[in-house]
Amino acid sequence: MDDHKQLLTQLEKLNGDRNDVDKLTDEAANKIQDVPYSNLSGSEFDRAWVRDMITGHTKTINEYQRELSKVKNIEVRNMIKKSLSLASGHIRQLEALGMM
């Protein structure tokens, strides 16, 4: 959560009239979904949550890689690269849990 908060804070600082940042923050906000975990408990909950986090981070990586070639602003490009690195690290941490 801390990594995500820090990235959003940095994106907000970069924002202004930059459409690239607006697009990235809008896409991130649209990804937030109410996934129904209330009917799960214990290891079922854990496995579902880890699976969904890996899926979400993988989709984010794919989308950011596509956008990277389109973004012209160097600061936004650097933020995307940082985000890609963090998302990849998060996937490695999730996979290390061995719940798939």
Side-chain angles (χ1 to χ4, degrees):
M1 290 303 295
D2 289 339
D3 288 340
H4 293 264
K5 287 179 187 177
Q6 287 175 343
L7 283 173
L8 286 175
T9 300
Q10 291 171 357
L11 281 171
E12 288 171 357
K13 287 179 185 176
L14 283 178
N15 203 3
D17 293 330
R18 297 185 180 144
N19 292 329
D20 292 336
V21 174
D22 289 336
K23 183 176 180 184
L24 289 173
T25 54
D26 289 346
E27 287 174 5
N30 288 335
K31 287 176 193 255
I32 299 171
Q33 299 177 14
D34 230 355
V35 181
Y37 296 112
S38 60
N39 61 333
L40 302 176
S41 62
S43 62
E44 285 180 312
F45 173 90
D46 294 342
R47 279 192 299 275
W49 186 84
V50 167
R51 181 193 64 236
D52 290 345
M53 291 299 105
I54 290 173
T55 299
H57 280 75
T58 301
K59 286 181 182 179
T60 296
I61 288 170
N62 292 335
E63 290 171 11
Y64 278 17
Q65 286 173 333
R66 281 192 301 272
E67 291 300 318
L68 190 58
S69 64
K70 300 175 190 175
V71 174
K72 305 296 182 216
N73 181 287
I74 191 69
E75 292 174 292
V76 176
R77 287 180 61 79
N78 288 338
M79 284 300 301
I80 292 173
K81 289 176 184 178
K82 181 177 182 177
S83 298
L84 286 168
S85 175
L86 286 172
S88 295
H90 291 170
I91 289 175
R92 284 190 299 277
Q93 291 172 334
L94 290 161
E95 289 174 340
L97 295 173
M99 293 189 177
M100 292 297 294

